[in-house]
Amino acid sequence: MPGTVLLLAASPVGRGCLVDAASVLPVLAAVPPAVLSGTDTANVVELADPLEPQAVLTRLRAAAAAPGPLTVYVAGQLQLDRRQRLPHLALARTTPATVRYTALPWHWIREELRLRPSGATTLLLDLHADQETWQWLRASPLDCGRNNAVYGRIAPPPARRTVAAPSYMRAVATILRSGHRPPPDQLHQQALTRAAADAAGSGAAAGADLVLTAPGPEAGDPHALIAAAVQSGRHADADALAARHERAAAHAHGPASEDALHWTEVRADLAMFAGDPVRSCRAWLTVAEARLGAGQPPQAPAVEAAVDRAHHQWGQVRDAGPARELGGALAALRGRVPGRREGALDHVRRELSRLQVQG
């Protein structure tokens, strides 16, 4: 099965730039796609210093939907938004004051990749952090999702008025240019060794990085079984398996627990894959209401994500009756959770008015 490769290099333009992320792309682009992916053939998507987080999300979502193995290479810098203090991948227009609106929330990456099969997704990361984010990372590990293999490093801020180089990713690219792709854990160790040697040769400090090594879930993980059922078209079997885990989690921890809500979210995604936007929308509305009812703030990433996904699925509903019913609930939620995209509530209201006229 063909693989998919997403090459993403991003950093702010101007004084806020900590790393020359895009400098590694020509080296990575010189590697044959099959070697980048570790498959016989592969499709490569390259994003160099993108401007808009929504544009990155669109490409990421398309890559996550590809059925074969997915390898994501990310070089860039992390910053916290001032409102929620959550990590974001800074993009070209990002400044400390505009992180929430101009950078890519890191949890978007986790969300888009979370239902891919076990062992099918590998992230190779070379990230730099500003001082505030570096301190945050010392106590809060970067969450890349439970289903993904993750390798790489996060470097502390470079010296003042210095722009760092993505030396780990450059080492990865140099190793791959030989035409051989070792297993990800071996590639990771070789890249760390090469990057450390290069740093020593240049007189740069080494050893302060946070090293990322997560090989992914074990075989037999229920998410892998569910994803395999989806890929083979057995949507009812996939939902039944997720429903069993949802009931067990609700019984053990309560229906509003993170474990139970996780499986409700999985079922919402499964309904989407099965082409049932009504069921998917309803499930996402349930998740959002449960999270708000448990005291999570409207700006919490999991709450925003649930409402955004409910909104997206509502837009796929073609039957006017369910659309009106779900639209009323969505409008009420949008009043409390406006999300990051301007005009979301107005959009729901306009569509509801149109549906009322049709009815």
Side-chain angles (χ1 to χ4, degrees), residues 124 168 172 175-176 181-192:
L124 290 159
Y168 171 85
V172 167
I175 294 166
L176 294 179
R181 186 184 195 266
D185 57 337
Q186 295 179 26
L187 174 63
H188 171 61
Q189 292 300 326
Q190 291 174 23
L192 288 175

Side-chain angles (χ1 to χ4, degrees), residues 327-350:
L330 178 60
L333 262 180
R334 272 297 185 207
R336 302 167 64 189
V337 187
R340 295 170 181 247
R341 301 194 73 170
E342 290 186 14
L345 177 57
D346 289 339
H347 173 261
V348 178
R349 287 172 172 167
R350 285 196 307 271

Side-chain angles (χ1 to χ4, degrees), residues 161-182:
R161 297 180 182 175
T162 300
V163 176
S167 55
Y168 171 85
M169 193 66 74
R170 186 174 290 275
V172 167
T174 302
I175 294 166
L176 294 179
R177 285 185 69 178
S178 69
H180 170 64
R181 186 184 195 266

Side-chain angles (χ1 to χ4, degrees), residues 3 16 73 215 227 296 312 330 334:
Y73 297 80
Q296 296 185 26
H312 179 266
L330 178 60
R334 272 297 185 207

Side-chain angles (χ1 to χ4, degrees), residues 200-220:
S202 65
D209 298 348
L210 293 174
V211 176
L212 306 172
T213 307
E218 297 294 327

Side-chain angles (χ1 to χ4, degrees), residues 56-77:
V56 179
L57 178 62
T58 298
R59 297 296 185 88
L60 175 64
R61 184 167 290 166
L70 170 64
T71 309
V72 181
Y73 297 80
V74 183
Q77 71 185 59

